[in-house]
């Protein structure tokens, strides 16, 4: 049986100098597994046993990266490489165990206040299947927990936006977004879907919905961040990161990394 494990991390101020790459190459060579480093910020990949290819990734301090390990001893490789990453980078998540709050050191900063949350995989166990309006209802409630009137207003605004044109972006992702005076800071809600949902678009059904609610009028930094995110959705490899139902801390790191790119 082929085992797959992943280690997600951000690079420290030193980035990935040659000595780190050579150490990673040596460690990767110990195992009967293929180890690939994926620089998510740059959307580039390289085999960890090919130091020159890894150098060509153009990795920079702060980049979000992932080691993808596949093979018969991927579990052991993941344990050893997690120790290496934890010592030399900022660990977000590892495939062989859950991290303590102290171990999860990675922080991706934005230059403005925001709220980011993730709904459980929809529909939840035992619930009936959801359609587009059902997903938007869940997102609206998440944007205004315990505030039914506010949630209802947000839902109406999202539905009005969808009536203009579908917010399906293609590659399995939808981006319902509104500007409203009903929020004071940007609100991002991640809604992974257990089954694809039709979104009223020729771009096909969606497997992940990212709801964006921006205060009106928006600040320049808000527009820069969310423009960066929407442009990343044109990349199939980036959309795959959102639709493959990664662990919540990974999905949030992927979104925050894309929002932070204009401010690096």
């Amino acid at each position: 049986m082929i085992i797959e494990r992943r280690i997600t991390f951000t690079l420290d101020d030193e980035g990935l100098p040659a000595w780190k790459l050579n150490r990673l190459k040596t460690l990767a060579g110990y195992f009967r597994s293929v180890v690939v480093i994926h620089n998510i910020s740059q959307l580039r990949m390289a085999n960890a046993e090919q130091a020159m290819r890894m150098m060509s990734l153009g990795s920079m301090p702060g980049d979000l990266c992932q080691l993808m390990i596949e093979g018969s001893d991927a579990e052991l490789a993941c344990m050893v490489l997690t120790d290496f990453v934890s010592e030399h980078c900022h660990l977000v998540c590892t495939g062989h165990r859950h991290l303590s709050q102290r171990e999860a050191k990675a922080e991706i900063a934005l230059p403005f206040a925001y709220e980011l949350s993730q709904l459980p995989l929809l529909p939840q166990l035992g619930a009936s299947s959801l359609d587009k309006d059902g997903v938007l209802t869940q997102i609206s409630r998440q944007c205004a927990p315990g505030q039914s009137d506010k949630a209802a207003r947000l839902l109406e605004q999202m539905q009005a936006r969808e009536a203009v044109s579908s917010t399906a972006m293609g590659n399995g992702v939808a981006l319902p977004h509104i500007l409203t005076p009903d929020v004071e800071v940007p609100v991002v809600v991640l809604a992974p879907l257990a089954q694809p949902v039709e979104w009223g678009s020729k771009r096909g059904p969606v497997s992940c919905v990212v709801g964006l609610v921006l205060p009106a009028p928006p600040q320049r930094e808000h527009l820069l961040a969310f423009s960066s995110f929407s442009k990343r959705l044109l990349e199939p490899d980036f959309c795959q990161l959102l639709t493959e139902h990664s662990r919540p801390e990974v999905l949030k790191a992927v979104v925050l990394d894309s929002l932070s790119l204009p401010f690096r």
Side-chain angles (χ1 to χ4, degrees), residues 129-250:
S129 60
L130 286 177
D131 58 9
K132 179 178 178 177
D133 279 343
V135 177
L136 292 176
T137 297
Q138 294 284 348
I139 290 174
S140 300
R141 290 173 178 170
Q142 186 72 9
C143 289
Q147 303 177 67
S148 57
D149 290 345
K150 180 178 177 180
R153 291 196 303 271
L154 294 177
L155 176 59
E156 289 179 0
Q157 293 171 61
M158 287 189 180
Q159 290 172 328
R161 171 61 186 84
E162 293 291 336
V164 174
S165 63
S166 171
T167 56
M169 302 294 289
N171 299 306
V173 179
L175 186 66
H177 53 281
I178 56 173
L179 287 168
T180 176
D182 285 318
V183 298
E184 296 181 356
V185 299
V187 182
V188 184
V189 178
L190 311 178
L193 306 177
Q195 298 294 332
V197 170
E198 292 296 332
W199 212 256
S201 169
K202 295 180 180 179
R203 295 187 173 97
V206 302
S207 299
C208 181
V209 182
V210 182
L212 301 180
V213 181
L214 299 182
Q219 299 177 15
R220 180 176 179 273
E221 289 82 2
H222 301 167
L223 297 178
L224 285 174
F226 293 108
S227 174
S228 171
F229 178 71
S230 62
K231 289 177 182 177
R232 298 282 276 188
L233 293 179
L234 301 177
E235 301 285 347
D237 289 345
F238 179 77
C239 291
Q240 184 178 349
L241 292 167
L242 301 178
T243 59
E244 63 188 2
H245 298 157
S246 298
R247 285 164 55 170
E249 57 268 47
V250 176

Side-chain angles (χ1 to χ4, degrees), residues 95-156:
H96 76 282
R97 62 183 173 85
H98 286 281
L99 301 179
S100 67
Q101 189 172 7
R102 179 183 60 82
E103 291 176 299
K105 299 179 291 185
E107 293 184 4
I108 302 174
L110 295 177
F112 52 82
Y114 65 92
E115 295 177 9
L116 173 63
S117 62
Q118 180 174 339
L119 290 167
L121 196 63
L122 297 176
Q124 297 182 43
L125 187 64
S128 58
S129 60
L130 286 177
D131 58 9
K132 179 178 178 177
D133 279 343
V135 177
L136 292 176
T137 297
Q138 294 284 348
I139 290 174
S140 300
R141 290 173 178 170
Q142 186 72 9
C143 289
Q147 303 177 67
S148 57
D149 290 345
K150 180 178 177 180
R153 291 196 303 271
L154 294 177
L155 176 59
E156 289 179 0

